[in-house]
Amino acid sequence: MSFFDTHLLNLVVYLPLLFAALVCMLPAGERGQIRTITFIGMLVDLVFGVWAYARFEPGGPEFQLEYRTQWLQQLGVSYHIGVDGLAISLILLTVFLGPLVVMASQTYITERVKEFHLALLVLQTVMLGALVSLDVLLFYVFWEAMLIPMYLLVGVWGAEDRQMAAVKFFLYTLVGSLLMLVAIVALYFISSTQTTRSFDYATIYNSLVAANGQISACMGTGDCSNLTGMASMLYRWGPWMFAAFALAFAIKVPMWPVHTWLPDAHVQAPVAGSMILAGVMLKMGTYGFWRYAIPFFPAAAHQARPVLAALAVIGIVYGALMCLAQRDIKKLIAYSSVSHLGYCMLGMLALTGEGATGSAYQMLNHGVSTGALFLLFGFLYERRHSRLMSDYGGIAKILPVYTTAFLIITFSSVAVPGTNGFVGEFLVLLGTFKSSLGLGFGVLGALGVILGAAYMLWMVQKVFFGPLTHRENQHLSDLSLREFATVAPFLVLVLVMGLMPQPFLDRLNPSSERFVTRAHVGIPGSQVQPSDVRMTVIGLPPSSGVATAPTAQPAGPLADRR
């Protein structure tokens, strides 16, 4: 790879921080310049993010655009970044949302403008950093760093109960994160060998492959009394470590019943906070299951799989029913996230190629459709300052362009064929019906699709159609040029991802296949061989002094060949 390729991800991650430094040097009163520089920073980051997405080769090595150097040498911590198909797709979603979030906040945020845009830029960096991290401790640093700017976005620029919502979000996430840190440290020591002590993602995974294979084999025979040292430790403590990882990620998804922080955070957050929360931050939970919890502990994940799948379908149906009970539009959209993210988890836990690919595609879909719903409602709230459906009705006559845009995004959210939502949910349900989970999981998932159409179309009918019942709505203005320019990219992406999904799926499919194969390591009697799932480790310079495993050259259908 060229020098530019090895440093491209660093540019994508840290460009927002560079522009944050420029914003810091501006006087607080220069609001126009602050918004302009932030927007330019997000736009430049989008250009480099698209470039990185284009440089990713679907048929190439598993992790690409890698860069690794020493960091905390004595502890075996390296600064190691790189992307696979899922990570680069989520990066594309993140940089896509960046400039649109800035545009959406132009008139909504009028107080502490400088601090608001600094929080946006810092949050952009730490979210991107979490997605590119290939060192477990580095991932944790970025994961925890996300809490602070998001807490500020909700707690400082939110609605009337913003402090309660911000504290609830912070405490929920922090508790799960601290338990995950304990599990990371335990994993570090369990995976260490005489020649290797490292937090590197691939090194830890490769160290556990043989032990996970032994555990799978012994669970198939029912006799786990003759395990080797590492396998014995993993057999004993693996379920507890998996539970710690799973709880941290389940809170972030959020899965039922640890979802209660989400509606409050969404309702109280400003438009930018809701867009980022729905668009990117919730995917950190599903991404964590995909990248860490299930591959590291496949046997424990297999044992917990029925429970997690049950929680996923409960979340799908419960979230939809809660939407039907809402009269607050923003809270309805918030509960729809609980339902939609349940599909991501259900497809992942199906452990089929279609289900995993659908799960990954649904992560992208949710960021587009729900992010756009929060954006559009934010525009309406700026005009009317009410979240209640009863304060609207018949406004399609007054806001025809706005109504058309809202309807297109609604069709995406309810998975109408031809939109992006249909592709993801169809693959998830197909993979679920083909899986070993049981017919009931697929049936309940399909029920969620029906309920999703019911609550979204009911909300649209109450807000946009029927008689114009409130005189205050007669003078509402339609979308301005700036607002339409903010919404238009979402409308385009809904149709592009719905009608031409293959370019996106080409990057996701190899990652999905690897994920499913690695998850099958934990199934008793599995025929998956360590050589089929082993990862390639990029080495550190010899002078670093950090012991790492030699570069692996695995064989098999899912091998990475350089």
Side-chain angles (χ1 to χ4, degrees):
M1 291 190 298
S2 67
F3 177 85
F4 183 76
D5 283 338
T6 57
H7 290 77
L8 181 54
L9 290 181
N10 281 318
L11 278 172
V12 174
V13 172
Y14 296 110
L15 265 173
L17 273 190
L18 174 62
F19 282 88
L22 296 178
V23 170
C24 282
M25 293 186 285
L26 291 173
E30 297 291 343
R31 297 180 179 181
Q33 293 186 37
I34 290 169
R35 292 189 178 102
T36 301
I37 289 179
T38 305
F39 177 74
I40 292 173
M42 293 292 196
L43 204 58
V44 173
D45 203 37
L46 171 61
V47 171
F48 281 104
V50 172
W51 196 338
Y53 188 79
R55 293 291 294 170
F56 186 87
E57 301 176 11
E62 177 177 2
F63 295 110
Q64 301 178 32
L65 305 176
E66 284 186 83
Y67 175 80
R68 190 180 183 195
T69 188
Q70 57 181 327
W71 183 23
L72 303 177
Q73 182 175 339
Q74 300 304 318
L75 295 178
V77 183
S78 63
Y79 177 80
H80 186 190
I81 60 175
V83 289
D84 66 352
L86 176 61
I88 195 63
S89 299
L90 290 174
I91 285 172
L92 182 66
L93 173 64
T94 306
V95 297
F96 167 79
L97 290 174
L100 301 179
V101 165
V102 178
M103 291 177 66
S105 306
Q106 185 170 337
T107 56
Y108 190 86
I109 301 299
T110 57
E111 300 294 331
R112 298 180 179 177
V113 174
K114 180 177 180 178
E115 292 85 351
F116 174 82
H117 288 85
L118 284 174
L120 285 184
L121 290 165
V122 172
L123 183 56
Q124 186 82 343
T125 285
V126 295
M127 290 190 301
L128 292 168
L131 292 172
V132 302
S133 296
L134 290 180
D135 182 280
V136 181
L137 196 61
L138 179 66
F139 166 79
Y140 183 80
V141 170
F142 281 120
W143 170 274
E144 283 289 78
M146 283 188 285
L147 282 178
I148 299 172
M150 194 67 215
Y151 172 85
L152 294 175
L153 287 178
V154 177
V156 176
W157 293 278
E160 57 277 359
D161 293 327
R162 58 186 178 273
Q163 293 182 356
M164 176 274 297
V167 170
K168 194 172 182 181
F169 157 76
F170 189 88
L171 290 178
Y172 265 73
T173 309
L174 183 64
V175 169
S177 299
L178 292 177
L179 290 174
M180 182 171 68
L181 178 60
V182 175
I184 288 173
V185 175
L187 185 64
Y188 169 73
F189 286 107
I190 288 176
S191 64
S192 297
T193 65
Q194 293 180 348
T195 58
T196 303
R197 174 163 289 186
S198 175
F199 279 100
D200 183 72
Y201 173 71
T203 302
I204 290 178
Y205 179 82
N206 289 341
S207 298
L208 299 176
V209 166
N212 280 317
Q214 289 185 44
I215 294 172
S216 173
C218 83
M219 291 176 67
T221 62
D223 181 14
C224 293
S225 58
N226 299 315
L227 296 173
T228 62
M230 185 183 295
S232 177
M233 291 289 288
L234 196 61
Y235 178 74
R236 181 179 180 183
W237 298 107
W240 294 101
M241 290 188 287
F242 172 78
F245 274 92
L247 179 61
F249 298 140
I251 290 172
K252 189 75 84 176
V253 170
M255 296 181 70
W256 185 89
V258 289
H259 67 284
T260 56
W261 63 270
L262 180 67
D264 292 327
H266 268 316
V267 169
Q268 300 302 322
V271 175
S274 293
M275 289 176 66
I276 294 172
L277 194 59
V280 182
M281 288 193 68
L282 301 187
K283 314 310 177 305
M284 295 297 174
T286 52
Y287 177 78
F289 274 104
W290 182 297
R291 173 71 76 236
Y292 298 99
I294 295 177
F296 279 164
F297 312 102
H302 175 71
Q303 290 180 310
R305 181 181 170 219
V307 175
L308 291 174
L311 294 180
V313 294
I314 289 173
I316 290 171
V317 177
Y318 167 83
L321 292 176
M322 287 299 293
C323 287
L324 286 170
Q326 299 306 313
R327 299 298 179 266
D328 183 314
I329 300 172
K330 203 172 184 185
K331 188 168 284 189
L332 183 150
I333 301 172
Y335 272 109
S336 75
S337 290
V338 177
S339 185
H340 288 149
L341 269 298
Y343 285 105
C344 295
M345 290 303 303
L346 182 61
M348 189 188 309
L349 294 165
L351 299 187
T352 58
E354 296 87 349
T357 301
S359 171
Y361 205 71
Q362 193 65 7
M363 294 182 207
L364 306 179
N365 292 337
H366 179 264
V368 173
S369 59
T370 307
L373 286 175
F374 279 117
L375 170 67
L376 284 165
F377 178 72
F379 291 153
L380 188 60
Y381 184 79
E382 283 188 55
R383 290 160 167 76
R384 191 66 172 78
H385 298 288
S386 173
R387 299 193 300 263
L388 298 178
M389 285 185 239
S390 58
D391 288 334
Y392 299 96
I395 63 173
K397 305 179 182 69
I398 309 298
L399 309 174
V401 177
Y402 178 90
T403 303
T404 301
F406 203 100
L407 279 174
I408 293 173
I409 299 301
T410 298
F411 292 155
S412 167
S413 183
V414 302
V416 170
T419 66
N420 58 336
F422 174 77
V423 179
E425 290 191 8
F426 174 78
L427 288 173
V428 166
L429 292 176
L430 178 63
T432 303
F433 279 115
K434 290 179 63 176
S435 74
S436 59
L437 284 174
L439 182 64
F441 289 92
V443 170
L444 290 173
L447 174 63
V449 176
I450 299 171
L451 293 174
Y455 67 72
M456 287 300 298
L457 295 177
W458 169 70
M459 183 264 288
V460 166
Q461 191 274 329
K462 294 282 290 183
V463 172
F464 294 98
F465 298 104
L468 190 64
T469 54
H470 293 276
R471 186 176 302 172
E472 300 92 326
N473 297 328
Q474 293 178 353
H475 303 291
L476 295 177
S477 58
D478 213 336
L479 291 178
S480 66
L481 183 61
R482 173 189 63 86
E483 291 170 335
F484 183 76
T486 309
V487 173
F490 287 103
L491 304 178
V492 171
L493 205 54
V494 162
L495 297 176
V496 170
M497 293 180 68
L499 298 174
M500 296 185 294
Q502 200 57 49
F504 301 94
L505 296 176
D506 285 342
R507 286 169 171 78
L508 294 173
N509 279 330
S511 296
S512 301
E513 292 174 7
R514 294 185 181 101
F515 167 77
V516 171
T517 303
R518 286 168 181 157
H520 274 79
V521 171
I523 298 178
S526 169
Q527 300 302 311
V528 178
Q529 300 300 315
S531 60
D532 295 334
V533 295
R534 190 174 291 273
M535 299 179 186
T536 298
V537 181
I538 180 174
L540 281 164
S543 60
S544 67
V546 179
T548 59
T551 302
Q553 297 296 336
L558 300 179
D560 306 317
R561 296 180 175 87
R562 294 187 180 274

